[in-house]
Amino acid sequence: MRLPKLPPRTVRAIPLSAEDGAIAHMAASILLDYPTIERRARFAVVAESVTLLPDPLRHAFEAFLGAAGTMGQQQLEVHFTATFDLKRKCCPYLSYYAAGDTRRRGMALVRFVEAYRAAGWEVAADELPDYLPMVLEFSALSDSPIAQELLAAHRDGIEVLRTALETIESPYAHVVEAVSLSLPSIDEETRERYLNLVNEGPPTETVGMTFLGNLKPFSPSGIASEELRV
């Protein structure tokens, strides 16, 4: 007898100061990137930086750091690749959840580049602009509201990623949980999109669908503009 699927676990957002939010996002940016030897050497600094965060955030980061600490270098690298490179619902590229493997994803990436430039930032040439660790680093270092808009516009994708990581019991689920805790609570519309994506996965066709999530075009002044169209 097949048991019914349980609904995804809800994470309740917690209020954070701007400083705590920046610390949380920088910590998550470091921990969610590929764990090279050099990056892993920074885990101790992350562990120290999160000690004064509110308990739910601190516990989430410490849960990941504790699990990662039991894994050898090769083991953690293999787990990272098997998780983020080979599982559709564990994709670390935010626009993928709205666009999937479609030609239109390119325009979604252009919107990300526009957003960075509107805030006075340039995207590194060796990484796609919707890479979650990059967006989190942008949020941690920039005082522009655009960073929060990027995360909010792709909140459903972040929740799908968290749920997928929890389903496979990856320690990286704790880091994405910390990200979810640091963001405003999701509204009902976002929750519906998130639940649909959990059940169906990212799209392979875009007929009748938006490929940009809720991300608006950005003008050079840094203001999201409804008038700009692509």
Side-chain angles (χ1 to χ4, degrees), residues 10-219:
T10 300
V11 172
R12 295 188 179 277
I14 58 176
L16 292 177
S17 67
E19 181 180 5
D20 283 350
I23 291 171
H25 287 181
M26 181 56 75
S29 172
I30 293 169
L31 299 180
L32 285 173
D33 208 349
Y34 187 82
T36 61
I37 294 174
E38 294 77 15
R39 183 165 296 275
R40 198 169 183 183
R42 301 173 66 186
F43 283 15
V45 176
V46 171
E48 179 65 25
S49 71
V50 302
T51 55
L52 297 181
L53 291 177
D55 285 349
L57 269 176
R58 178 173 58 81
H59 292 159
F61 283 122
E62 289 177 348
F64 170 79
L65 290 165
T70 67
M71 303 170 74
Q73 180 63 30
Q74 184 177 13
Q75 185 181 7
L76 186 58
E77 289 180 2
V78 168
H79 175 73
F80 182 96
T81 300
T83 300
F84 292 111
D85 290 357
L86 302 179
K87 293 179 171 58
R88 291 180 70 229
K89 293 181 183 179
C90 295
C91 180
Y93 297 95
L94 293 179
S95 68
Y96 179 77
Y97 293 96
D101 290 316
T102 67
R103 290 175 295 176
R104 291 184 171 183
R105 185 168 170 230
M107 186 54 67
L109 296 176
V110 170
R111 288 282 175 83
F112 270 87
V113 173
E114 290 176 348
Y116 285 114
R117 288 178 176 171
W121 288 62
E122 286 294 332
V123 179
D126 60 347
E127 189 53 85
L128 292 177
D130 62 340
Y131 187 45
L132 179 56
M134 181 185 291
V135 180
L136 289 167
E137 181 180 13
F138 174 46
S139 175
L141 297 179
S142 173
D143 57 4
S144 170
I146 291 175
Q148 292 298 317
E149 289 191 33
L150 283 176
L151 291 168
H154 295 84
R155 181 62 185 277
D156 46 354
I158 292 172
E159 294 304 310
V160 173
L161 174 59
R162 178 182 60 80
T163 300
L165 291 170
E166 289 178 351
T167 299
I168 63 173
E169 298 182 344
S170 168
Y172 282 101
H174 300 298
V175 186
V176 183
E177 177 182 2
V179 174
S180 295
L181 287 167
S182 73
L183 299 174
S185 298
I186 61 174
D187 56 30
E188 191 57 34
E189 181 181 355
T190 301
R191 177 174 169 78
E192 286 300 317
R193 290 199 308 269
Y194 144 53
L195 292 176
N196 287 337
L197 281 168
V198 167
N199 291 327
E200 300 173 11
T204 55
E205 299 291 340
T206 58
V207 176
M209 296 185 62
T210 174
F211 56 89
L212 297 174
N214 290 327
L215 185 59
K216 302 174 183 177
F218 286 87
S219 71

